[in-house]
């Protein structure tokens, strides 16, 4: 299934993948080479650790490659200001309060809660998708249902 993401998110993933393929693979290969030079591989903790690190690295590379290969890029010019979607910058207010929160909807690979970047798969992100200014949406939370009003949508 295609995963929607902004052009900048896509480009960050491509750079990360390149770094893993070029630099990290070389680092792991060097560690394996050094560990092999210690002799008997059956009792070589450094070798086992390097092989494990290699397996984790290759799994991460495969995951990133899959995400990139199946990405649906949402160009900035196509980000709607009429309804919330991937790449939207939203201002929402919890119903019954005056506190307005600002978030940008991003793909799961670029979540950064401290900087207001939330996933389209997070509880708020998922509930907000396709909503318009003035709409109220409900988020299921451990404390119960939270109701939010969409105050603004921008890009």
């Amino acid at each position: 299934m295609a995963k929607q993401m902004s052009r900048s998110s896509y480009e960050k993933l491509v750079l990360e993948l390149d770094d893993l393929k070029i630099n990290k693979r070389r680092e792991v290969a060097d560690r394996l080479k050094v560990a092999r030079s210690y002799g008997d591989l059956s009792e070589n903790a450094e070798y086992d650790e390097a092989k494990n690190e290699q397996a984790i690295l290759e799994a991460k590379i495969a995951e990133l490659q899959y995400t990139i290969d199946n990405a649906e890029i949402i160009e900035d010019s196509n980000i709607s200001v009429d309804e919330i979607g991937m790449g939207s910058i939203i201002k929402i207010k919890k119903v019954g309060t005056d506190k307005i929160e600002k978030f940008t909807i991003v793909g799961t690979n670029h979540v950064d809660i401290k900087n207001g970047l939330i996933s389209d798969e997070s509880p708020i992100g998922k509930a907000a998708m396709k909503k318009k200014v003035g709409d109220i949406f409900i988020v299921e939370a451990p404390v119960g249902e939270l109701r939010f009003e969409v105050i603004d949508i921008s890009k």
Side-chain angles (χ1 to χ4, degrees):
M1 183 174 123
K3 179 77 177 120
Q4 292 185 334
M5 65 181 67
S6 68
R7 167 73 55 198
S8 65
S9 291
Y10 177 83
E11 289 171 359
K12 284 179 191 170
L13 286 181
V14 170
L15 289 174
E16 182 181 351
L17 180 62
D18 287 347
D19 180 56
L20 292 177
K21 284 181 170 180
I22 297 164
N23 300 319
K24 295 295 183 195
R25 270 186 177 158
R26 186 179 309 119
E27 288 173 22
V28 171
D30 289 346
R31 275 201 280 287
L32 278 168
K33 187 176 176 182
V34 168
R36 270 196 299 269
S37 73
Y38 296 149
D40 185 7
L41 299 182
S42 65
E43 295 182 19
N44 188 329
E46 289 86 357
Y47 181 77
D48 290 343
E49 189 177 315
K51 285 299 283 180
N52 190 36
E53 188 177 349
Q54 182 183 41
I56 292 168
L57 174 65
E58 292 304 323
K60 177 74 174 164
I61 287 171
E63 179 185 337
L64 274 175
Q65 188 68 61
Y66 179 83
T67 302
I68 289 167
D69 290 347
N70 293 286
E72 178 186 338
I73 299 170
I74 306 297
E75 299 294 349
D76 290 348
S77 59
N78 293 337
I79 296 173
S80 172
V81 293
D82 297 324
E83 72 176 21
I84 297 171
M86 185 62 67
S88 293
I89 299 169
I90 62 171
K91 290 183 182 172
I92 59 174
K93 180 178 82 165
K94 187 173 166 190
V95 174
T97 71
D98 292 328
K99 184 181 178 195
I100 294 176
E101 296 183 82
K102 181 179 175 181
F103 297 107
T104 302
I105 308 293
V106 298
T108 53
N109 297 76
H110 297 99
V111 170
D112 183 352
I113 303 297
K114 291 180 184 171
N115 290 309
L117 304 177
I118 63 170
S119 166
D120 59 325
E121 297 176 16
S122 69
I124 290 175
K126 187 182 285 189
M129 295 301 273
K130 305 287 185 200
K131 301 297 185 277
K132 298 175 178 11
V133 172
D135 285 356
I136 292 178
F137 62 93
I138 297 170
V139 175
E140 295 292 335
V143 296
E145 288 184 349
L146 301 176
R147 299 167 65 84
F148 292 93
E149 179 182 355
V150 180
I151 304 299
D152 185 53
I153 304 169
S154 60
K155 58 181 174 179

